[in-house]
Amino acid sequence: EPEVTQTPSHQVTQMGQEVILRCVPISNHLYFYWYRQILGQKVEFLVSFYNNEISEKSEIFDDQFSVERPDGSNFTLKIRSTKLEDSAMYFCASRIGQGAYGYTFGSGTRLTVV
Amino acid sequence: DQQVKQNSPSLSVQEGRISILNCDYTNSMFDYFLWYKKYPAEGPTFLISISSIKDKNEDGRFTVFLNKSAKHLSLHIVPSQPGDSAVYFCAASGQTGANNLFFGTGTRLTVIP
């Protein structure tokens, strides 16, 4: 069964450093997302990406965050200057087309900012 | 901004009995609802969904019921199995182009053998 792949599974970084979280969405999917889950809290939407541009973003997704689809397969989330409160599980998701049907999540990257 | 709420953080059920997980939402523009199952250190795994034009959807042991007037949905698992033990998230989506999901806080289900 096709799956969304995320690397690394765990990233530890020092406060103020830049991190890049990587995702390989399902190959024929057209919509791409990043979500995060702070420990003990709900999964929260960060950003959606379609047709090589951001289609929607939440208030969490401030200027410290950026997304990119540098080639035909990867989808990255960059955090420019990490803060302690950025520590969370970050999930990439993709879906094939219009509507919420078929959302598939990756296994997540646990980001720990120290 | 709690647009999707799961008021029960945990639920314990005996194996073989029915598990009922509940979810409430506030946004009347939501038109698609999903249930995800999540194990620790894994991503949410899709279980079952329902469109707002229906009031019930069934898939094997899993049934989702939607009451639009009450803005309430529930997931029934019958019979419950120990392997069902996980955190269950309710999610909702509106008619925006991006269809981002709004998640509840999750309910931890423990099925006791």
Side-chain angles (χ1 to χ4, degrees):
Chain A
E1 186 171 329
E3 57 182 30
V4 175
T5 306
Q6 289 187 245
T7 55
S9 57
H10 191 190
Q11 171 104 37
V12 180
T13 188
Q14 288 211 317
M15 190 170 56
Q17 295 295 304
E18 174 184 288
V19 294
I20 298 176
L21 310 183
R22 302 180 191 280
C23 170
V24 179
I26 294 173
S27 61
N28 62 341
H29 283 193
L30 301 176
Y31 295 81
F32 313 110
Y33 304 83
W34 285 100
Y35 288 79
R36 79 172 185 190
Q37 184 184 26
I38 295 172
L39 186 64
Q41 298 185 23
K42 63 180 178 181
V43 178
E44 300 175 289
F45 168 74
L46 290 179
V47 65
S48 59
F49 193 87
Y50 171 71
N51 201 25
N52 284 319
E53 62 182 20
I54 290 174
S55 49
E56 199 166 337
K57 59 184 180 180
S58 72
E59 57 192 28
I60 302 169
F61 193 88
D62 61 21
D63 292 343
Q64 295 296 316
F65 292 89
S66 62
V67 290
E68 198 175 39
R69 189 156 163 82
D71 52 41
S73 60
N74 290 285
F75 179 51
T76 61
L77 174 69
K78 182 192 290 187
I79 309 174
R80 287 191 186 81
S81 177
T82 50
K83 304 186 282 274
L84 294 177
E85 53 265 39
D86 294 328
S87 296
M89 281 290 288
Y90 287 80
F91 295 106
C92 175
S94 68
R95 65 180 175 88
I96 192 166
Q98 196 68 10
Y101 179 78
Y103 248 96
T104 304
F105 283 82
S107 297
T109 292
R110 177 171 297 283
L111 176 64
T112 303
V113 182
V114 297
Chain B
D1 180 16
Q2 292 259 355
Q3 297 196 53
V4 179
K5 300 178 187 179
Q6 293 176 256
N7 291 319
S8 297
S10 63
L11 174 69
S12 291
V13 172
Q14 285 290 135
E15 180 178 5
R17 306 294 288 268
I18 185 171
S19 296
I20 300 176
L21 297 100
N22 293 301
C23 178
D24 296 292
Y25 62 96
T26 56
N27 190 338
S28 57
M29 297 302 292
F30 288 148
D31 66 348
Y32 200 80
F33 305 90
L34 308 92
W35 283 95
Y36 284 86
K37 178 179 180 180
K38 188 179 179 301
Y39 295 112
E42 292 185 14
T45 301
F46 171 76
L47 265 181
I48 192 168
S49 62
I50 188 166
S51 163
S52 60
I53 62 173
K54 293 186 173 183
D55 56 16
K56 177 182 174 181
N57 189 27
E58 192 172 350
D59 184 2
R61 297 186 297 115
F62 302 91
T63 303
V64 55
F65 295 92
L66 175 62
N67 182 334
K68 282 183 62 180
S69 61
K71 294 190 178 70
H72 177 84
L73 63 155
S74 60
L75 174 68
H76 293 210
I77 307 172
V78 56
S80 302
Q81 299 173 353
D84 295 331
S85 297
V87 178
Y88 288 78
F89 289 95
C90 167
S93 173
Q95 293 190 16
T96 62
N99 291 112
N100 48 295
L101 297 179
F102 294 86
F103 282 84
T105 49
T107 296
R108 179 177 300 281
L109 173 67
T110 303
V111 179
I112 303 163

